[in-house]
Amino acid sequence: MISFLKDILFMQRTYTKDAPLKIGEAIKLQGWVQTRRDHGKLVFLDVRDRTGIIQVVFKASKEVEPVRSEWVVEIEGEVKERPKSMQNLQIPTGTIEISASKLAVLSEAEPMPFPIDTPGHDIDEELRLKYRYLDLRRPRMQKNIKTRSAYITAAREYLASKEFVEIETPMLTKSTPEGSRDFVVPSRIYPGKFFALPQSPQQYKQLLMTAGFERYFQVARAIRDEDPRADRAFEHSQIDIEMSFVTKEDVMALMEEMTIFAIEKIGGKILQKPFPVITYSDAMKKYGADKFDVRTDKEKEEGMLAFAWVVDFPFFKKKKEGKWTFTHNPFSAPLNDEQEQWLLAGKNIEKITALQYDLVCNGLEVAGGSIRTNRSDVLKATFKILGYNEEEIENEFSHMLEAFDYGTPPHGGCAQGFERLLTTFLKEETLREVQAFPQTGQGRTSVMEAPSELSPSQLKELQIEIKKTPKK
Ligand code: ASP
């Protein structure tokens, strides 16, 4: 005999937001008890689900007696219009209530370790992160995480409309010179050898251009072993893009359109469109920095987002020890043919400009990218300036140099650190407020205890010996 699920589900769940459409009907609700009020013979429970909150009225009974805040319940009852004087027009379900006929407790709850109905900024962050799954119940965090999801969905929608292909790149990869410390993962099969977690998909996305995709994107995780700060974390997410046969203006226009589309989808207000473009040297003269906030106090108050592009960055800068380092990305191309000659000859290094562009919003760098070189001799020359010898270049980058010799189109890309953008849009102070399970300010995981020690058998299998007793 064939049966269908719809015949088995005899009473479908109603979401709280839909209950006002069902006056006079019997419905079933499932959710959390937000508050409980005892009024003699009657007990009022406010029941919350992902769509809202609703008032449920019980006759006092031994079933409802033990129920407390944050218990998970299933309730059957009739939707009734409240008398006019009892209506609460502040909430969408405030004109009705549920007269309960049945209660099932699906899960009991201990008292919460902290209030979850307040914004919660005042609560110790370590404690919030220890119980992140409860902290996330607060309306502010529900809103932040849902806004993040809506932003990513909008960006995906935009990029799909422009025929971008979403491609995942490996998490276990090779150490790269992206300017930060790598997180490393020991290999069991090759003892003494290590993978690195990606600081960005930079090289893979360039190789996807060699592979002929022309338009790549990924909501990518970038993992960097930096000291945690408000606008930096070990892990952050970026909308990562790479395109072939494009100019710097093409990539900037694409990123700008995507940002406007996605920001406006989530209700953001943008101060100036199209985004103004300023050179690095003008920005330094005008603002004394390459990240700046041009908003007036009133515009800040109104939650305006002030975007600007910064272009024409120096390719290289001198480190303290006198050696050259890159300012943004070693894979970039220089500004023009003349500068390419300088780069190949290793002269006028301080005058070489990279085809790099950064997007600034409200004083934060929210995206950055460049047109890359697709020539192996130019890339080699860059690494020579950075102090690599032939052998090191061969060991670390032979795969890129080789790929460039098999027909790699001119290409460029950009990565948007949308968590920073959302942090400023949502008027939050730290990236952590828009991440579900961020690392703590002390560099530990939320909820789970990590980093943590490995068992002796795991260490043995990896052939790793711990010299010092680890710090607690
Ligand atoms: N890989 C760069 C970054 O992560 C972005 C880019 O140049 O596309 O900052």
Side-chain angles (χ1 to χ4, degrees):
M1 197 187 93
I2 299 173
S3 65
F4 297 98
L5 277 178
K6 67 176 172 49
D7 300 325
I8 301 167
L9 298 167
F10 65 95
M11 192 174 188
Q12 298 258 7
R13 174 185 183 197
T14 296
Y15 287 111
T16 56
K17 75 165 169 39
D18 298 326
L21 305 170
K22 299 195 173 177
I23 291 172
E25 287 179 42
I27 62 165
K28 179 164 89 185
L29 293 171
Q30 291 171 321
W32 287 258
V33 175
Q34 174 122 336
T35 45
R36 172 203 171 97
R37 293 181 300 280
D38 284 272
H39 286 240
K41 291 207 181 81
L42 296 178
V43 177
F44 291 85
L45 301 185
D46 288 338
V47 175
R48 179 183 81 233
D49 63 17
R50 67 181 174 82
T51 69
I53 188 159
I54 205 163
Q55 175 166 294
V56 184
V57 193
F58 285 85
K59 291 208 182 74
S61 67
K62 68 175 192 311
E63 283 77 37
V64 75
E65 204 283 316
V67 177
R68 291 293 177 271
S69 286
E70 299 308 309
W71 285 33
V72 183
V73 292
E74 179 176 293
I75 286 157
E76 287 178 27
E78 192 189 327
V79 184
K80 290 197 169 150
E81 193 156 18
R82 293 195 211 173
K84 281 270 174 304
S85 60
M86 310 284 262
Q87 295 193 349
N88 171 5
L89 299 178
Q90 307 298 316
I91 61 167
T93 61
T95 56
I96 56 152
E97 62 189 12
I98 309 301
S99 173
S101 52
K102 223 167 156 186
L103 167 75
V105 172
L106 304 182
S107 177
E108 298 182 9
E110 294 289 324
M112 294 294 108
F114 43 64
I116 59 165
D117 54 354
T118 62
H121 286 113
D122 54 325
I123 302 165
D124 176 54
E125 201 185 20
E126 295 280 318
L127 188 64
R128 284 179 58 202
L129 293 177
K130 175 162 193 255
Y131 295 101
R132 186 57 151 186
Y133 48 88
L134 301 178
D135 187 56
L136 287 170
R137 285 185 191 171
R138 72 180 70 255
R140 175 174 69 88
M141 292 308 292
Q142 291 272 316
K143 174 174 161 232
N144 287 2
I145 299 299
K146 287 179 180 173
T147 303
R148 176 193 174 109
S149 168
Y151 185 85
I152 296 172
T153 302
R156 270 210 173 89
E157 184 188 332
Y158 174 81
L159 292 167
S161 79
K162 299 285 173 191
E163 297 172 11
F164 277 74
V165 184
E166 182 167 3
I167 305 175
E168 286 140 280
T169 51
M171 292 304 281
L172 294 176
T173 175
K174 190 175 158 78
S175 177
T176 65
E178 218 106 348
S180 294
R181 221 174 277 111
D182 288 314
F183 268 101
V184 294
V185 179
S187 161
R188 174 182 59 83
I189 301 176
Y190 301 102
K193 299 205 170 171
F194 297 83
F195 297 101
L197 301 179
Q199 292 189 30
S200 90
Q202 182 67 36
Q203 296 184 57
Y204 286 112
K205 70 174 174 174
Q206 291 192 241
L207 295 171
L208 289 169
M209 299 301 104
T210 311
F213 287 99
E214 295 194 28
R215 294 184 159 210
Y216 141 94
F217 91 95
Q218 174 178 203
V219 182
R221 205 61 74 80
I223 304 173
R224 301 176 185 180
D225 188 0
E226 298 186 273
D227 293 330
R229 300 208 298 252
D231 67 343
R232 288 242 163 111
F234 291 153
E235 289 182 49
H236 76 267
S237 298
Q238 51 189 33
I239 298 174
D240 196 44
I241 286 169
E242 197 73 10
M243 303 165 78
S244 294
F245 307 106
V246 283
T247 62
K248 141 177 159 256
E249 288 73 21
D250 292 326
V251 183
M252 289 163 67
L254 185 286
M255 182 48 83
E256 180 168 327
E257 254 190 53
M258 183 201 84
T259 305
I260 293 171
F261 179 82
I263 277 289
E264 291 185 345
K265 264 262 158 105
I266 60 169
K269 288 174 284 180
I270 296 170
L271 187 67
Q272 198 182 343
K273 291 186 290 192
F275 301 164
V277 182
I278 185 170
T279 64
Y280 169 78
S281 68
D282 285 349
M284 292 308 282
K285 271 183 230 143
K286 200 162 165 191
Y287 307 107
D290 57 2
K291 309 179 213 354
F292 42 85
D293 193 346
V294 295
R295 294 171 305 164
T296 61
D297 284 345
K298 182 159 169 282
E299 286 159 353
K300 282 186 189 163
E301 199 56 35
E302 291 165 354
M304 284 286 177
L305 296 168
F307 289 94
W309 286 105
V310 185
V311 296
D312 293 350
F313 288 88
F315 201 136
F316 302 98
K317 67 173 184 223
K318 273 255 164 79
K319 286 196 278 197
K320 274 194 220 88
E321 323 86 79
K323 285 195 194 144
W324 290 106
T325 182
F326 54 91
T327 66
H328 285 78
N329 194 327
F331 298 98
S332 299
L335 187 64
N336 53 31
D337 290 346
E338 187 191 14
Q339 295 202 2
E340 193 168 84
Q341 291 311 317
W342 295 347
L343 200 149
L344 286 166
K347 68 175 197 198
N348 297 336
I349 294 171
E350 68 291 346
K351 287 199 209 143
I352 300 175
T353 303
L355 280 174
Q356 168 81 29
Y357 29 87
D358 276 5
L359 183 63
V360 172
C361 177
N362 298 357
L364 302 168
E365 182 195 318
V366 296
S370 65
I371 295 298
R372 332 292 183 188
T373 183
N374 63 339
R375 284 178 48 172
S376 52
D377 55 345
V378 174
L379 188 60
K380 244 187 188 168
T382 302
F383 283 111
K384 270 201 193 125
I385 293 172
L386 297 173
Y388 288 70
N389 63 34
E390 286 284 338
E391 198 191 328
E392 287 164 338
I393 295 175
E394 195 51 38
N395 283 344
E396 308 234 347
F397 303 107
S398 56
H399 55 281
M400 293 299 281
L401 301 168
E402 220 177 329
F404 284 0
D405 289 340
Y406 281 105
T408 295
H411 61 284
C414 199
Q416 182 181 78
F418 63 87
E419 292 172 331
R420 271 196 202 153
L421 186 52
L422 292 174
T423 302
T424 180
F425 168 66
L426 293 162
K427 298 194 176 152
E428 294 289 4
E429 291 291 321
T430 77
L431 281 189
R432 299 190 281 278
E433 302 292 352
V434 302
Q435 298 175 326
F437 294 103
Q439 279 91 37
T440 69
Q442 316 306 315
R444 303 183 63 81
T445 48
S446 44
V447 187
M448 297 184 213
E449 279 277 307
S452 57
E453 286 158 39
L454 294 183
S455 68
S457 65
Q458 282 172 306
L459 287 172
K460 196 168 160 216
E461 198 168 48
L462 295 168
Q463 302 200 32
I464 289 180
E465 220 174 282
I466 305 291
K467 286 241 172 94
K468 280 195 210 136
T469 333
K471 264 205 295 202
K472 283 290 166 209

